[in-house]
Amino acid sequence: MSVSPSLLSLSVIVTRLRAVGCVFAEDEARLLISTAQTPADLAAMVDRRAAGLPLEHVLGWAEFCGLRIAVDPGVFVPRRRTEFLIRQAAALARLAAGPAGQTLARPRAVVVDLCCGSGAMGAALVAALDRIELYAVDIDPAAVRCARRNVAAAGGQVYEGDLYEPLPATLRGRVDVLVASAPYVPTEAIRLLPPEARVHEPRVALDGGADGLDVVRRVTAAAPLWLAPGGHLLVETSERQAPQTVETVARNGLIPRVASSDELNATVVIGTRPASL
């Protein structure tokens, strides 16, 4: 049960949020009111938001691909631009599973979500696809706990560890779609991020090393060992980093291509394992 707007002044909340720089103060105020259970709860939520906590951490959820994804304090908040990666991955996973009703040796596409954070990508792919075998991994214990809440109901498995290390060895050579929202912010650029990210999200989810591609290189180097013949790796990156990411993908024996969305300001590099590799 949410708090009735009549019990508290919407205009007062909007004014307070605007004063601390919330650009979409009216929308945020309505979300806070609809989520709060009591007036005291609402007051505390407004205080936390005014103090600079990300809206999603205050609400306890983020909207992603039409879903409400649980996001605990200190966990990376899924970005809207990543929805573009999900659209690309879902299309490739559908091809891997084959047409509906077709009998296959592997009737479900095998999907791995590396650096899964809250599990938003895996949850979105489960929601978008009829047949999926999902495995997700993150090195951050808080993210793993959150991801388990978001994907467990759909039968997804979530592991804690460094990239591929905790995955079952039986997945080697079987993965149809491997998605990675690896950190890609250069270390020196972390200080330029908005405080909501810089202060309240884990550095391990943001810092990609000197050029931003340290983790991406590690993901790409091992990907051919895990991908099935014809399987695909999808990595989110920036437009500026895309050429280097393409070189890394090609150097590791995958066939690269770049997909981008001007609407979402999103860039995804896709590497496909040759069927004969």
Side-chain angles (χ1 to χ4, degrees):
M1 180 179 71
S2 62
V3 176
S4 170
S6 63
L7 297 177
L8 294 162
S9 172
L10 176 65
S11 63
V12 168
I13 297 174
V14 169
T15 298
R16 187 172 180 197
L17 295 180
R18 281 181 178 158
V20 296
C22 296
V23 178
F24 303 104
E26 289 192 4
D27 293 337
E28 292 194 12
R30 291 191 176 93
L31 284 170
L32 292 169
I33 288 169
S34 67
T35 302
Q37 298 299 303
T38 67
D41 188 24
L42 177 58
M45 292 172 73
V46 173
D47 285 345
R48 291 197 296 272
R49 180 60 180 136
L53 268 70
L55 176 65
E56 295 82 1
H57 288 168
V58 175
L59 296 173
W61 56 269
E63 183 176 347
F64 184 75
C65 291
L67 304 174
R68 279 196 176 188
I69 302 295
V71 181
D72 296 330
V75 174
F76 182 80
V77 175
R79 304 323 197 226
R80 184 165 179 261
R81 63 176 173 267
T82 307
E83 294 183 2
F84 178 69
L85 184 152
I86 295 302
R87 292 203 292 268
Q88 303 296 310
L92 294 170
R94 288 189 189 99
L95 291 174
Q102 179 175 314
T103 301
L104 299 174
R106 291 188 298 109
R108 295 187 297 170
V110 177
V111 176
V112 168
D113 178 3
L114 290 183
C115 308
C116 70
S118 65
M121 294 199 301
L125 287 170
V126 168
L129 300 164
D130 293 329
R131 293 166 290 175
I132 179 173
E133 186 178 329
L134 174 66
Y135 303 85
V137 181
D138 203 282
I139 198 169
D140 180 13
V144 169
R145 289 192 296 271
C146 195
R148 284 177 177 151
R149 291 167 57 199
N150 287 314
V151 306
Q157 302 295 315
V158 184
Y159 300 87
E160 181 182 333
D162 185 18
L163 299 181
Y164 303 92
E165 182 270 331
L167 287 172
T170 53
L171 286 179
R172 287 183 176 237
R174 293 184 53 232
V175 178
D176 297 301
V177 174
L178 171 58
V179 297
S181 183
Y184 58 89
V185 179
T187 301
E188 287 301 313
I190 296 290
R191 59 186 174 83
L192 304 176
L193 293 176
E196 290 181 354
R198 188 180 70 249
V199 177
H200 297 288
E201 292 183 321
R203 191 177 180 100
V204 70
L206 303 170
D207 192 344
D211 64 355
L213 297 176
D214 283 0
V215 182
V216 170
R217 278 189 280 269
R218 292 180 57 215
V219 168
T220 305
L225 299 175
W226 295 87
L227 290 173
H232 310 278
L233 165 68
L234 295 91
V235 178
E236 185 173 86
T237 188
S238 69
E239 183 178 7
R240 178 180 57 81
Q241 293 165 316
Q244 289 175 275
T245 306
V246 164
E247 289 178 11
T248 299
V249 167
R251 192 182 309 120
N252 286 283
L254 303 178
I255 302 169
R257 67 181 176 91
V258 178
S260 60
S261 167
D262 292 334
E263 175 194 0
L264 294 177
N265 190 28
T267 302
V268 176
V269 174
I270 302 171
T272 301
R273 176 183 168 182
S276 60
L277 185 66

